[in-house]
């Protein structure tokens, strides 16, 4: 049976381990980079870091500060220039990134619920936007001509024109 004194000792040892990890250069560099990029706020003094950081260092720092693990997949999708190595990702992280790119709620990642990870997507990079997905269509010549005419008339891109048409059809369907 643990006494209150034993609990205090264990808590102090854990706190000392966390404090030691927070002094580690990997943690300092990742936190400094995220603060400098404006994606995280910190209540501790941190030296801003302008260089790119490695994904492995972010995963390590995430063991100290879970917000970094929460944020990492969204940053890999929308701000990959923050990182040195975005190609060779661990399998669990790669599946989370793939789900985010498809605008789906990903599976849990190293103890972080998928919904918490997904909620970061519109907050980083271009605010309030999630990644769009590429689709290709086969149009006839007359369809393409009509698309060009409407594009010029409404002064929008072809993509925006198709989006508006889809929303118009969906609104009509709901009204029925």
């Amino acid at each position: 049976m643990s006494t209150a004194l034993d609990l205090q000792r264990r808590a102090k040892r854990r706190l000392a381990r966390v404090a030691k990890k927070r002094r580690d250069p990997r943690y300092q560099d990742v936190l400094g980079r995220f603060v400098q990029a404006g994606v995280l706020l910190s209540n501790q003094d941190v030296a801003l870091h302008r260089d790119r950081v490695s994904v492995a260092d972010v995963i390590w720092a995430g063991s100290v500060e879970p917000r970094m693990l929460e944020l990492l997949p969204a940053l890999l999708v929308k701000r990959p220039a923050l990182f040195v190595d975005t190609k060779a990702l661990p399998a669990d992280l790669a599946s989370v990134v793939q789900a985010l790119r498809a605008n789906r709620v990903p599976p849990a990642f190293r103890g972080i619920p998928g919904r918490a990870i997904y909620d970061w997507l519109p907050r980083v990079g271009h605010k309030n936007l999630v990644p769009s997905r590429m689709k290709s269509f086969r149009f006839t010549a007359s369809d393409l001509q009509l698309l060009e005419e409407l594009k010029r008339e409404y002064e929008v891109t072809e993509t925006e024109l198709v989006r508006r048409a889809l929303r118009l059809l969906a609104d009509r369907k709901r009204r029925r």
Side-chain angles (χ1 to χ4, degrees):
M1 187 162 123
S2 297
T3 65
L5 190 57
D6 289 337
L7 290 174
Q8 283 180 333
R9 285 184 190 138
R10 282 193 296 193
K12 284 182 182 180
R13 281 195 302 268
R14 284 186 185 154
L15 186 60
R17 281 194 301 266
V18 168
K20 182 179 178 183
K21 285 182 177 182
R22 286 182 182 220
R23 290 188 301 271
D24 188 288
R26 293 174 290 184
Y27 178 82
Q28 291 293 320
D29 288 348
V30 171
L31 182 61
R33 182 64 182 126
F34 284 7
V35 169
Q36 195 278 330
V39 295
L40 267 186
L41 297 175
S42 177
N43 61 354
Q44 46 186 290
D45 291 331
V46 61
L48 298 182
H49 186 77
R50 296 194 189 309
D51 295 334
R52 300 186 312 164
V53 293
S54 80
V55 172
D57 286 353
V58 177
I59 291 172
W60 183 89
S63 68
V64 179
E65 178 55 69
R67 290 183 307 163
M68 293 178 186
L69 287 180
E70 226 175 80
L71 181 57
L72 174 61
L75 288 174
L76 284 167
V77 171
K78 294 184 74 180
R79 303 269 313 264
L82 294 175
F83 304 98
V84 176
D85 50 352
T86 59
K87 299 294 182 207
L89 300 176
D92 57 346
L93 179 56
S95 69
V96 169
V97 169
Q98 185 178 12
L100 289 179
R101 284 193 176 124
N103 198 21
R104 292 189 320 263
V105 174
F109 172 64
R110 301 190 186 204
I112 308 295
R115 187 75 220 179
I117 295 167
Y118 182 80
D119 289 343
W120 277 101
L121 200 56
R123 294 170 155 176
V124 299
H126 295 289
K127 302 291 185 211
N128 301 320
L129 293 177
V130 293
S132 57
R133 293 174 54 191
M134 181 71 85
K135 287 284 196 185
S136 58
F137 299 98
R138 296 188 185 274
F139 290 117
T140 64
S142 61
D143 292 338
L144 290 173
Q145 184 180 359
L146 181 59
L147 192 60
E148 273 301 314
E149 290 171 13
L150 291 171
K151 183 176 89 167
R152 278 193 301 272
E153 182 178 335
Y154 289 101
E155 297 177 349
V156 295
T157 64
E158 291 173 356
T159 303
E160 181 59 27
L161 191 61
V162 171
R163 285 181 181 146
R164 287 182 185 183
L166 288 170
R167 286 182 183 85
L168 181 65
L169 287 171
D171 287 344
R172 283 186 182 173
K173 183 179 177 182
R174 281 188 223 119
R175 288 184 193 145
R176 289 184 194 168

